[in-house]
Amino acid sequence: MTVLTTPRLLLFPLTREVVARRVQGAPFAAVLSGPDGPLTVQVPEDWPGDALALLPLFLAQWPPEAAAWPGSFLAVRRTDGQAIGLLGTKGPTTPGGEQDIGYGLTPGTWGQGYATEAVGALLAWLGAQPGMRVITAETAFSNTASARVLTKLGFQAAGQRTDDEDGELLLWTRPAAPA
């Protein structure tokens, strides 16, 4: 799987090794293969933010033959090798070409444009995948920052639903390859 690049970030394929190590605790360092060779990535205690509780479940569902989880990425700041986010697909693409995504960044990086940059790279990568037609996402009604990220990236509100754990969610959609 390819490392996605942006001006300020490297998006590394999310590996079983990194997830398993994070479940054990943090901080820690991991050496990952980047576009310019090996890079020591610092994984802080607050990575991956709210998604930390999901990592054991994620690990339990990991396909045994896969070293990296398909469609998921570890966002790393280029300037200091700090892991700042987790993003990717939330399951397989539907037969009709629809893909749901999710993302989260460590709280200390909020409000600096990293989410827009990272999700934009993910969308470009997904848009290049064969058969991809529509990208969807969900945000909590109270998460106006994520709503702004999605709006900037061409998503439109498409409805709402209630989740037992997350409460009221706003549903978002956009074409995989926007006009």
Side-chain angles (χ1 to χ4, degrees):
M1 193 180 216
T2 305
V3 175
L4 307 181
T5 61
T6 75
R8 299 183 299 162
L9 300 171
L10 296 170
L11 304 179
F12 288 94
L14 185 63
T15 66
R16 179 193 312 269
E17 176 187 346
V18 167
V19 173
R21 179 62 186 91
R22 180 58 190 97
V23 167
Q24 293 172 358
F28 66 93
V31 178
L32 303 177
S33 297
D36 300 321
L39 176 68
T40 300
V41 174
Q42 302 300 321
V43 179
E45 190 173 351
D46 61 348
W47 183 85
D50 293 342
L52 178 58
L54 300 175
L55 291 185
L57 177 63
F58 201 52
L59 200 54
Q61 296 176 357
W62 204 287
E65 69 283 358
W69 188 271
S72 289
F73 298 88
L74 166 67
V76 175
R77 203 167 32 215
R78 285 176 179 257
T79 57
D80 60 5
Q82 182 89 3
I84 65 165
L86 174 65
L87 66 155
T89 60
K90 292 170 84 177
T93 304
T94 69
E98 187 172 309
Q99 179 63 67
D100 195 33
I101 64 165
Y103 59 93
L105 274 68
T106 55
T109 63
W110 294 353
Q112 299 175 46
Y114 289 117
T116 303
E117 196 170 320
V119 175
L122 175 65
L123 294 174
W125 178 77
L126 285 170
Q129 304 305 306
M132 191 67 60
R133 292 187 338 79
V134 176
I135 311 294
T136 61
E138 300 176 332
T139 61
F141 270 84
S142 60
N143 192 344
T144 57
S146 276
R148 278 193 308 275
V149 167
L150 295 175
T151 301
K152 286 182 210 174
L153 293 170
F155 282 83
Q156 294 186 347
Q160 61 188 54
R161 74 177 185 89
T162 302
D163 182 82
D164 291 340
E165 290 182 30
D166 297 324
E168 294 295 315
L169 299 174
L170 191 54
L171 310 177
W172 298 87
T173 186
R174 71 161 249 177

